Amino acid sequence: MHIEYDRENDTAYVSLVAHIADGAAVRQIPVDGVGADAEVFLDVDASGRLLGIEVIGAGGALPAEVLKQSSAG
């Protein structure tokens, strides 16, 4: 698992696989109930395998320790 955080845009991406090839994520599934200031999307491949998680408004949705340990995107 690898987390990238873009502080300027307050977005984070959690990769659950070592490498996601261009075009591999064929579907984004929105997740409800995260919070008013955050949006979460699950990226899945053609087989339905979860590749990664995109968090918009990450500062309000993810623990500060996680964001501090992430790499800058």
Side-chain angles (χ1 to χ4, degrees), residues 6-73:
D6 178 345
R7 286 173 181 26
E8 184 177 327
N9 295 303
D10 194 24
T11 59
Y13 194 81
V14 180
S15 299
L16 301 175
V17 295
H19 175 71
I20 301 173
D22 288 342
V26 298
R27 194 165 132 216
Q28 279 197 324
I29 302 168
V31 177
D32 293 330
V34 176
D37 296 334
E39 295 179 75
V40 175
F41 299 90
L42 306 178
D43 286 346
V44 297
D45 68 10
S47 299
R49 184 175 73 146
L50 182 59
L51 302 174
I53 303 164
E54 179 179 16
V55 183
I56 301 170
L62 297 174
E65 309 83 54
V66 170
L67 299 178
K68 287 178 187 175
Q69 293 175 6
S70 68
S71 61

